Amino acid sequence: MADWHLLHFFDQRQPRKATVLRQILTNKRTGSVLFWGLRYHYLDYLNAVPRFDVKKFNDVIDELIAQKWLQSSAQGLQLTSQGQEVIATHRTRYSFVDHPELNQKFDYQLWQAILLLMVQVASEYRYHNSNYYVANQNLKAQFVIKSWLQVNTFEMLAAEISECLTQFLDQCDPAKADLFTAKLVGHTQNGLSDGQIASQLGISPLEVSWTWRDLALQLAAFIQARSNLKIGQLVQITALPGALTPTIHQTAMLFNDGKTVDQIIQIRRLRRSTIEEHLQVLAIFQPDFPYEKVLSESDLKILSRVYAEPDIDQWRYAELQQQGFEMPFLKFRLYAIMKTHGECNE
């Protein structure tokens, strides 16, 4: 059977561009991609599959269309009734993640390696075994653990990871908790592969991978939220800067200080298009963005008259000029973002 999991990202009423989905999953962050990610409710999935091969992605989409689970048109792809039925009949508790937004907060590859290694080290310590084969070969993870142990103790590592795992897994779905622990390596316990776990549970390896990743990132957030834990230092090493890059933060500081777009361009010595894209991204991720700093009352009257059509997906910048109005693209896009946030609030 074709891999149906991407159907989850499509809608029966709203046409959506597959390219936007791929770019969101692989963490492409242009203003246009993020805007359409906002429109399609994809933003939580930024960086969810950073190494998703373009050809593989396109092949999956083509197969979903061939199966008539997705319907293609000039506007994009829509979920068909058959596709909706596939989701309803094939989804399990493991099919979709609960906290995709955590992919933006932690470097999963590094955190996974650190987590697996510190669980193994703690387990072997508890059994007083100092002669064992390290199952994880990630050199950075090994260096990080060794450096941490130079200023902390094996006893502390074992106690804190044991307590955290117990508390965290107690609050999880028991079936997902069992899946999670099946992959851990410890004294006399070799962690199972995704394929082995999938075979035992009767699900796909992809569902095992996504579920384990989701729980691992939730555990990172669980540890990070407890400031008294020394192993929080290991989590902090994997922390990502978040949705806004340092250069966007610099633009945001100037904008919040009352600087105009022209002044920010002069101060930062960047192109107008770059600064305007920074402001679009700020508005996308900050629902309380001060639109009045860019959009005047006159602008709002014009925009509301030209874009009376309630379906924001159908708005086109060219309509302003067609109706005899000259206005920068930034104002058009900020107005669309503002209205989108208004829809979400409603």
Side-chain angles (χ1 to χ4, degrees):
M1 181 179 179
D3 187 347
W4 56 274
H5 294 85
L6 287 183
L7 293 174
H8 173 68
F9 295 98
F10 294 93
D11 186 76
Q12 288 186 283
R13 290 175 296 179
Q14 181 188 42
R16 296 177 176 179
K17 301 288 188 183
T19 301
V20 174
L21 173 59
R22 176 176 56 78
Q23 291 173 325
I24 289 291
L25 292 175
T26 55
N27 205 32
K28 300 297 185 294
R29 293 171 178 259
T30 66
S32 177
V33 168
L34 293 174
F35 171 73
W36 287 105
L38 176 67
R39 291 295 308 152
Y40 298 161
H41 308 287
Y42 286 168
L43 292 184
D44 279 350
Y45 287 87
L46 274 165
N47 200 41
V49 194
R51 293 173 177 80
F52 209 149
D53 179 77
V54 175
K55 183 179 185 306
K56 182 179 179 181
F57 176 88
N58 290 338
D59 287 345
V60 172
I61 294 295
D62 289 344
E63 181 62 21
L64 296 178
I65 295 171
Q67 293 284 349
K68 302 188 185 307
W69 298 341
L70 288 178
Q71 177 179 309
S72 179
S73 68
Q75 288 73 42
L77 298 174
Q78 286 174 264
L79 186 68
T80 65
S81 56
Q82 297 100 308
Q84 184 62 54
E85 185 177 351
V86 168
I87 294 175
T89 56
H90 289 85
R91 72 177 298 161
T92 70
R93 70 178 73 196
Y94 309 102
S95 296
F96 304 111
V97 301
D98 296 319
H99 292 279
E101 73 283 357
L102 292 177
N103 285 284
Q104 303 168 48
K105 297 185 177 181
F106 304 100
D107 179 339
Y108 170 69
Q109 294 300 325
L110 179 57
W111 168 239
Q112 174 187 233
I114 289 174
L115 172 59
L116 291 172
L117 185 56
M118 68 178 180
V119 168
Q120 182 187 17
V121 170
S123 174
E124 298 290 3
Y125 169 77
R126 282 291 170 87
Y127 284 90
H128 308 288
N129 181 23
S130 59
N131 185 23
Y132 56 91
Y133 174 76
V134 177
N136 193 291
Q137 297 302 310
N138 185 300
L139 296 179
K140 184 171 182 180
Q142 292 181 22
F143 174 78
V144 166
I145 296 289
K146 288 178 181 177
S147 298
W148 186 89
L149 286 170
Q150 288 176 356
V151 293
N152 297 285
T153 65
F154 283 92
E155 179 60 35
M156 179 180 292
L157 176 67
E160 290 195 351
I161 191 60
S162 176
E163 180 182 358
C164 282
L165 277 174
T166 300
Q167 292 179 358
F168 172 72
L169 294 174
D170 279 347
Q171 70 181 24
C172 293
D173 176 332
K176 288 188 175 182
D178 288 343
L179 180 154
F180 187 77
T181 55
K183 196 168 179 177
L184 299 178
V185 178
H187 184 72
T188 71
Q189 175 181 323
N190 295 320
L192 301 180
S193 68
D194 289 352
Q196 290 170 322
I197 298 172
S199 180
Q200 288 183 1
L201 297 177
I203 60 177
S204 73
L206 178 64
E207 290 175 329
V208 174
S209 175
W210 274 64
T211 299
W212 204 91
R213 181 186 184 114
D214 188 39
L215 289 180
L217 292 173
Q218 287 184 53
L219 177 59
F222 181 89
I223 295 171
Q224 188 183 59
R226 287 152 177 78
S227 58
N228 61 309
L229 295 175
K230 291 293 185 179
I231 58 172
Q233 298 165 1
L234 298 172
V235 173
Q236 190 56 36
I237 290 170
T238 73
L240 297 176
L244 304 180
T245 63
T247 187
I248 294 178
H249 274 297
Q250 291 179 44
T251 296
M253 290 176 61
L254 293 169
F255 184 70
N256 292 332
D257 284 343
K259 298 292 190 295
T260 66
V261 172
D262 288 336
Q263 289 173 328
I264 295 172
I265 290 169
Q266 291 181 343
I267 293 169
R268 299 217 55 205
R269 299 180 182 273
L270 295 174
R271 292 180 299 178
R272 176 175 296 275
S273 60
T274 300
I275 298 301
E276 291 186 348
E277 183 164 283
H278 288 177
L279 295 180
Q280 292 171 46
V281 174
L282 281 171
I284 287 169
F285 287 107
Q286 296 180 0
D288 60 346
F289 181 87
Y291 295 95
E292 69 278 3
K293 289 187 176 182
V294 180
L295 298 173
S296 67
E297 288 295 329
S298 175
D299 293 331
L300 291 173
K301 287 179 181 179
I302 293 171
L303 289 163
S304 64
R305 187 187 318 160
V306 174
Y307 299 105
E309 159 66 53
D311 186 356
I312 299 171
D313 291 352
Q314 302 304 316
W315 293 1
R316 298 295 179 266
Y317 177 56
E319 294 175 48
L320 277 168
Q321 289 185 323
Q322 290 169 2
Q323 295 193 32
F325 298 106
E326 292 291 336
M327 190 177 292
F329 178 79
L330 174 64
K331 295 190 176 188
F332 161 74
R333 181 49 58 81
L334 287 180
Y335 183 71
I337 294 169
M338 181 179 71
K339 288 297 184 180
T340 298
H341 282 308
E343 284 183 346
C344 295
N345 291 335
E346 292 173 4

